């Protein structure tokens, strides 16, 4: 039995040492503490055992070669910047350099003719991050001819840079431009594209990579060097401060990076610095430069927050951290979707995409067929672009069965209702559906405004009734709000999580209150932008400030997308339901004017804050707005506008957390980023508040409340925490967190 937990070594008769990596208790191979402690033994044996003529590295996993570093391990080490952190960062890099140089110095290789024992790598599955960096440190890279294999450096997506030589080996293999695209965008290559760029050396038939790798090692048993260790090596396409092509590239690339990132992502700037500085010096110095920048990023709160929210907490949520224990997995094979409008059709699409059968019911066959047409339009586009075969598209479409007969729902495993947002309409379909479905079938409603508990009163089995709030367009938006009412049982909650696991959304559990979580927070933000317009603040200034904050689309543009009419209808119905308890937002007259007087109800209606052409293409901001709300002569500064837009999201998020609308800070942060596009670099609203400190948050909120109104008043809980010197995440973890 092997003495190792993560690796095994086998020496064949040709003297080729095969290292097989198989990290236990992980979904994929990752650089965890065990592999980090055992990999040096392989390098040492490679260098010192005379019987070893060369090596082949492969994976013991069928699904992947290696997914990179264990980000949980990195999260524990984040926030530190000292000599020890630098030395830790250099540990794996020194091993890679010993492996690729054979332990020789640059002088020995370039002046004395010393060479390294050949190391080839056999890749049958994805290689990302630190996994690809191991691949690049090998002398010969063989990858299976499988277009599904992903080769990439995605560290930038969690606020880091490739810290295992990725920013230095990629430009030396594929040139600065290709390396910058890989490192700053986190985009993956398939094997053939990687081969064409020069990132890898061979693409062979799946299952033959080890054989091909061994053949190469056998042919090169006399020793090899990496190209960058050969005297006179030059970066493909040029590098250095005096190279005209390189200078031109960095001028353009830095400008583009700034335009895309709005200077909010330190990792992008650090990557560009690594590419610039590192390609002007020898590899050993270049690696030290990369590690220096990596350690700075790891100590920065941006990386810490992004790792925690976008990896650790996101992964925990998607694995079902809040799924009730003791309920067996529910095998959902057939789903009844009630309503074939925009939302119902989107839900039917993602359900069928996950391999489940769908019964799409509406009041007539003509209406029900719309769900089939919705999916067919998406599939036709995929087929025309070569992303899917016609055969697979036909099989996909065949999983959706339209009907106007409730009896066709009798064999479904789950119901998702997405009919018109009227209590009487929903009550009718609930009763008709429950009359035919099985006694254990859970009924989920996709309402975005109506209380789940109120709808459950129409159910004969309220304990099996739950809310599942999707976002439009369903096939693109990654968030799912799961809303149990007070009487929802564990079976319904478990069914919601088991269904979500199949459609692969990011789920959060929220309290059954008006608007749930996202629709409690987003409207105040959109409303603040509308109020600024009525105050005479430039619409262009508002939209540009939102972009500078890092939001994917401005509040006026997104209001046009969701339509002002929807906001007006919700406002009107809320006023009717709440009566004297309704608290005016200040924008009621503005919405009424836009929708009923000026015919600017949103993009779908041809006009809103923006003008649109006949195809719905945005043309520009409506110039006629200033006739109704004249522009201020003296406009506020960009910082003032950004502060209002930001705190219009922070305050309602804080209120939701204080009121228990979300059970933990991670749910609020995930909901904000994946629900309406809160800037990912912050880690989410509550992570951002922790980063600036609760005292600073409360002080700024109070100042805004004095200048602009009580809507900016922070919750008492946050005042108390600020006074006690507490933080949101640490305080929660002491109280017993629900998800890591």
């Amino acid at each position: 039995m092997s003495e190792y937990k993560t690796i095994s070594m086998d020496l064949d008769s040709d003297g080729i040492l095969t290292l097989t990596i198989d990290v236990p208790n992980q979904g994929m191979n990752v650089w965890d503490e065990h592999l980090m402690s055992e990999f040096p033994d392989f390098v040492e044996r490679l260098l010192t055992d005379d019987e070893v003529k060369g090596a082949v590295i492969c994976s013991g996993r069928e699904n992947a070669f290696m997914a990179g570093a264990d980000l949980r391990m990195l999260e524990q080490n984040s926030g530190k910047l000292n000599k020890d952190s630098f030395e830790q960062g250099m540990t794996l890099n020194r091993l890679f350099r010993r492996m690729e140089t054979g332990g020789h110095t640059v002088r020995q290789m370039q002046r004395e003719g010393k060479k390294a024992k050949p190391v080839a790598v056999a890749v049958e599955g994805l290689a990302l991050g630190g996994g690809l960096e191991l691949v690049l440190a090998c002398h010969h890279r063989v990858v299976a001819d499988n277009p599904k294999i992903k080769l990439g450096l995605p560290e930038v997506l969690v606020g880091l840079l490739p810290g295992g030589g990725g920013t230095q080996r990629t430009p030396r293999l594929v040139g600065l431009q290709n390396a910058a695209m890989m490192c700053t965008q986190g985009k993956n290559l398939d094997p053939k594209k990687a081969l064409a760029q020069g990132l890898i050396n061979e693409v062979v038939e799946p299952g033959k990579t080890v054989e091909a790798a061994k053949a190469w090692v056998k042919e090169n048993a006399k020793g090899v060097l990496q190209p960058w260790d050969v005297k006179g090596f030059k970066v493909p396409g040029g590098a250095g401060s005096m190279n005209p092509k390189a200078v031109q590239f960095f001028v353009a690339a830095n400008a583009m990076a700034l335009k895309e990132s709005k200077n909010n992502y330190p990792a992008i700037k650090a990557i560009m610095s690594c590419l610039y500085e590192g390609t002007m010096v020898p590899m050993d110095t270049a690696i030290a430069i990369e590690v220096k920048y990596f350690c700075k990023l790891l100590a920065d709160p941006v990386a810490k927050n992004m790792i925690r929210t976008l990896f650790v907490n996101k992964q925990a949520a998607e694995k079902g951290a809040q799924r009730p224990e003791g309920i067996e997995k529910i095998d959902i094979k057939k789903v009844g979707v009630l309503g074939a409008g925009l939302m119902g059709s989107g839900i039917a699409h993602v359900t069928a995409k996950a391999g489940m059968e769908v019964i799409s019911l509406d009041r007539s066959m003509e209406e029900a067929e719309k769900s089939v047409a919705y999916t067919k339009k998406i599939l036709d586009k995929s087929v025309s672009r070569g992303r899917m075969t016609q055969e697979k598209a036909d099989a996909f479409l065949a999983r959706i069965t339209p009907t106007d007969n409730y009896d066709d729902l009798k064999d479904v495993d789950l119901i998702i209702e997405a009919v018109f947002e009227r209590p009487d309409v929903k009550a009718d379909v609930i009763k008709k559906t429950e009359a035919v479905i099985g006694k254990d079938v859970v009924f989920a409603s996709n309402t975005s405004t109506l209380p789940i508990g109120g709808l459950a009163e129409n159910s004969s089995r309220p304990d099996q009734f739950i809310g599942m709030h999707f976002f439009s367009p369903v096939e693109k938006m990654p968030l799912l709000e799961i809303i149990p009412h007070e009487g929802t049982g564990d079976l319904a909650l478990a069914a919601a999580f088991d269904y979500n696991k199949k459609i692969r959304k990011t789920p959060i559990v929220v309290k059954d209150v008006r608007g749930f979580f996202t629709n409690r927070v987003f409207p105040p933000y959109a409303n603040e932008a509308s109020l600024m317009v009525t105050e005479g603040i430039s619409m262009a200034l508002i939209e540009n400030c939102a972009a500078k904050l890092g939001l994917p689309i401005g509040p006026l543009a997104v209001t046009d997308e969701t339509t002002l009419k929807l906001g007006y209808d919700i406002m009107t119905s809320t006023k009717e339901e709440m009566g004297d308890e309704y608290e005016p937002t200040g924008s009621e007259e503005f919405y009424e004017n836009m929708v009923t007087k000026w015919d600017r109800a949103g993009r779908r209606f041809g006009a809103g804050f923006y003008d649109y052409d006949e195809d719905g293409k945005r043309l520009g901001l409506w110039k006629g707005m200033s006739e109704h709300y004249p522009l201020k002569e003296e406009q506020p500064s960009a910082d003032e506008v950004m502060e209002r837009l930001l705190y219009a999201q922070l305050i309602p998020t804080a209120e939701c957390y204080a009121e228990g609308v979300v059970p933990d800070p991670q749910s609020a942060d995930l909901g904000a980023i994946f629900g309406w596009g809160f800037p990912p670099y912050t880690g989410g609203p509550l992570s951002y508040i922790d980063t600036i400190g609760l005292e600073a948050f409360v002080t700024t909120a109070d100042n805004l409340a004095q200048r602009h109104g009580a809507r900016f008043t922070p919750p008492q809980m946050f005042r108390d925490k600020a006074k006690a010197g507490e933080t949101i995440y640490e305080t929660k973890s002491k109280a017993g967190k629900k998800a890591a």
Side-chain angles (χ1 to χ4, degrees):
M1 186 175 177
S2 173
E3 61 191 281
Y4 299 108
K5 292 182 178 180
T6 64
I7 62 173
S8 62
M9 290 183 272
D10 178 67
L11 186 65
D12 68 14
S13 58
D14 292 318
I16 299 174
L17 182 66
T18 300
L19 173 76
T20 304
I21 301 172
D22 192 350
V23 181
N25 305 317
Q26 298 278 6
M28 295 183 185
N29 286 333
V30 293
W31 286 106
D32 67 359
E33 292 171 343
H34 297 297
L35 181 57
M36 290 282 288
S37 67
E38 293 175 355
F39 188 75
D41 287 4
F42 159 71
V43 176
E44 195 62 28
R45 184 175 177 185
L46 171 70
L47 268 57
T48 61
D49 188 340
D50 292 337
E51 292 185 11
V52 176
K53 307 304 179 186
V56 169
I57 300 175
C58 63
S59 168
R61 300 292 188 92
E62 292 183 4
N63 63 339
F65 176 75
M66 186 181 290
D70 184 350
L71 287 178
R72 292 176 186 82
M73 180 176 69
L74 289 179
E75 185 196 20
Q76 293 169 3
N77 294 324
S78 64
K80 304 170 186 174
L81 182 60
N82 50 41
K83 187 177 180 181
D84 288 343
S85 62
F86 178 80
E87 287 301 315
Q88 287 177 0
M90 286 297 295
T91 300
L92 189 60
N93 279 294
R94 289 189 178 117
L95 286 169
F96 285 172
R97 282 298 284 157
R98 274 176 59 77
M99 181 178 75
E100 68 180 0
T101 63
H104 303 306
T105 64
V106 173
R107 179 186 178 88
Q108 288 173 321
M109 290 185 289
Q110 296 186 355
R111 294 191 182 183
E112 299 174 19
K114 297 286 187 181
K115 293 187 177 181
K117 292 179 182 179
V119 180
V121 61
V123 179
E124 292 279 348
L126 68 77
L128 299 175
L132 182 61
E133 288 174 303
L134 170 58
V135 170
L136 299 181
C138 296
H139 302 106
H140 192 74
R141 298 166 282 281
V142 184
V143 182
D145 188 4
N146 180 350
K148 292 184 178 180
I149 290 177
K150 297 175 181 178
L151 307 172
L153 298 167
E155 288 87 346
V156 70
L157 302 179
V158 288
L160 294 173
L161 58 76
T167 67
Q168 301 310 313
R169 291 186 178 89
T170 47
R172 286 166 169 82
L173 288 168
V174 302
L176 284 168
Q177 184 169 340
N178 289 329
M181 290 181 68
M182 281 190 73
C183 296
T184 62
Q185 297 178 18
K187 291 184 177 179
N188 303 319
L189 299 176
D190 62 36
K192 286 187 176 176
K193 285 182 181 176
L195 180 65
Q197 288 190 12
L199 193 73
I200 60 176
N201 305 101
E202 277 189 82
V203 173
V204 302
E205 182 184 337
K208 303 281 188 179
T209 55
V210 172
E211 181 184 332
K214 282 190 172 186
W216 181 86
V217 170
K218 197 172 179 179
E219 290 174 7
N220 292 273
K222 291 183 179 180
V224 293
L225 289 178
Q226 292 279 33
W228 43 84
D229 288 322
V230 177
K231 190 173 182 179
F233 169 78
K234 295 186 185 304
V235 173
S241 59
M242 302 303 290
N243 183 287
K245 289 183 180 179
V247 170
Q248 187 177 12
F249 162 74
F250 279 110
V251 169
N254 282 322
M256 288 176 64
L258 184 62
K259 178 184 175 184
E260 294 299 320
S261 70
K262 306 297 186 295
N263 212 27
N264 289 322
Y265 293 85
I268 293 177
K269 186 183 289 187
I271 288 167
M272 295 305 295
S273 296
C274 285
L275 292 173
Y276 177 72
E277 297 174 32
T279 52
M280 291 193 290
V281 296
M283 179 59 86
D284 291 308
T285 306
I287 293 293
I289 289 170
E290 178 185 273
V291 172
K292 175 190 73 173
Y293 281 109
F294 179 84
C295 290
K296 286 179 71 174
L297 290 175
L298 196 58
D300 192 286
V302 169
K304 178 182 178 181
N305 290 340
M306 290 182 75
I307 291 171
R308 180 175 62 198
T309 299
L310 301 180
F311 179 78
V312 178
N313 293 340
K314 180 176 183 286
Q315 197 173 77
E318 291 169 354
K319 286 182 177 179
Q322 291 180 298
R323 186 188 189 276
E325 297 177 0
I327 304 293
E328 286 189 20
K329 181 184 175 183
I330 300 164
D331 189 11
I332 299 169
K333 296 178 180 177
K334 185 185 287 189
V335 177
V337 178
L338 313 182
L342 190 65
M343 293 303 294
S345 294
I347 294 167
H349 177 84
V350 298
T351 304
K353 185 179 181 181
M356 293 173 274
E357 290 184 62
V358 179
I359 305 297
S360 178
L361 181 141
D362 214 311
R363 57 193 172 187
S364 68
M365 278 301 293
E366 184 182 0
E367 292 294 321
E369 286 281 0
K370 289 180 179 178
S371 66
V372 177
Y374 183 95
T375 286
K376 187 177 186 304
K377 184 178 179 181
I378 296 172
L379 297 179
D380 285 348
K381 188 180 289 186
S382 295
V383 171
S384 68
R385 293 178 177 177
R387 295 175 182 170
M388 179 182 281
T389 64
Q390 188 61 55
E391 185 182 4
K392 286 187 176 180
D394 292 342
F396 189 134
L397 201 62
R399 289 195 286 271
I400 303 175
T401 303
T403 184
D404 59 358
N405 187 349
Y406 279 86
D407 288 339
D408 291 336
L409 300 171
K410 63 180 185 300
D411 296 324
V412 301
D413 304 308
L414 174 70
I415 289 288
I416 302 176
E417 169 272 307
V419 299
F420 192 65
E421 287 283 277
R422 271 177 42 190
D424 58 328
V425 176
K426 290 184 183 289
D428 182 54
V429 299
I430 291 168
K431 289 171 182 174
K432 288 178 178 177
T433 302
E434 289 187 348
V436 297
I437 60 175
K439 61 182 179 65
D440 294 326
V441 175
V442 169
F443 192 112
S445 174
N446 175 55
T447 180
S448 59
T449 56
L450 302 173
I452 301 301
L455 294 176
E457 291 175 3
N458 301 293
S459 172
S460 60
R461 47 182 101 167
D463 60 315
Q464 290 169 220
F465 198 96
I466 196 166
M468 289 173 64
H469 180 211
F470 293 81
F471 296 78
S472 182
V474 179
E475 67 274 11
K476 293 181 180 178
M477 296 297 284
L479 186 71
L480 176 67
E481 286 185 321
I482 297 174
I483 311 108
H485 64 92
E486 286 188 2
T488 297
D490 285 350
L491 175 68
L493 192 55
F497 273 103
D498 292 345
Y499 167 76
N500 178 77
K501 197 161 190 178
K502 287 196 166 190
I503 64 169
R504 302 175 73 176
K505 300 265 182 210
T506 301
I508 61 171
V509 176
V510 301
K511 194 174 180 180
D512 183 21
V513 296
R514 178 176 294 280
F516 314 131
F517 172 64
T518 51
N519 282 346
R520 271 279 302 274
V521 180
F522 179 76
Y525 162 60
N527 185 66
E528 195 64 30
S530 298
L531 287 173
M532 284 195 262
V533 172
T534 66
E535 293 169 18
I537 295 174
S538 163
M539 292 196 289
L541 178 60
I542 294 167
E543 295 289 80
N544 286 331
C545 285
K548 179 70 175 72
L549 278 172
L551 288 144
I553 184 172
L556 306 181
V558 77
T559 301
D560 271 5
E561 294 291 330
T562 58
T563 75
L564 287 94
K565 187 178 187 305
L566 176 63
Y568 174 71
D569 289 345
I570 291 173
M571 179 187 71
T572 303
S573 62
T574 303
K575 285 170 71 174
E576 289 175 358
E577 288 181 39
M578 296 187 70
D580 293 339
E581 294 180 9
Y582 176 76
E583 294 184 13
T585 64
S587 62
E588 286 82 0
E589 182 182 354
F590 173 77
Y591 271 82
E592 185 175 352
N593 288 338
M594 288 287 281
V595 174
T596 66
K597 290 185 179 180
W598 305 329
D599 293 324
R600 303 196 70 88
R603 180 183 177 185
R604 184 156 57 90
F605 301 96
F609 288 104
Y610 286 81
D611 291 321
Y612 299 90
D613 66 14
E614 292 180 358
D615 297 322
K617 182 181 178 182
R618 198 181 299 142
L619 299 175
L621 288 160
W622 180 38
K623 293 180 180 178
M625 186 71 80
S626 59
E627 295 176 14
H628 304 285
Y629 301 102
L631 289 173
K632 281 184 173 182
E633 286 188 16
E634 188 175 339
Q635 292 285 309
S637 69
D639 286 342
E640 289 177 282
V641 174
M642 286 193 291
E643 189 174 74
R644 279 181 72 175
L645 291 174
L646 178 61
Y647 275 73
Q649 299 168 79
L650 297 181
I651 296 295
T653 301
E655 289 172 346
C656 284
Y657 178 59
E659 295 168 17
V661 176
V662 284
D664 44 48
Q666 51 265 38
S667 295
D669 284 344
L670 287 169
I673 290 174
F674 295 111
W676 71 85
F678 192 84
Y681 70 90
T682 64
L686 298 185
S687 287
Y688 178 81
I689 291 171
D690 261 354
T691 300
I692 63 171
L694 271 84
E695 186 176 352
F697 165 71
V698 168
T699 300
T700 301
D702 283 338
N703 288 337
L704 285 167
Q706 287 179 357
R707 283 182 280 146
H708 302 291
R711 62 186 179 277
F712 285 105
T713 303
Q716 187 60 43
M717 174 200 276
F718 282 68
R719 292 190 189 280
D720 295 341
K721 286 181 178 294
K723 192 173 181 180
E726 296 177 346
T727 56
I728 299 164
Y729 269 90
E730 290 178 3
T731 304
K732 185 67 183 178
S733 65
K734 290 173 185 175
K737 60 184 177 181
K738 281 200 172 189

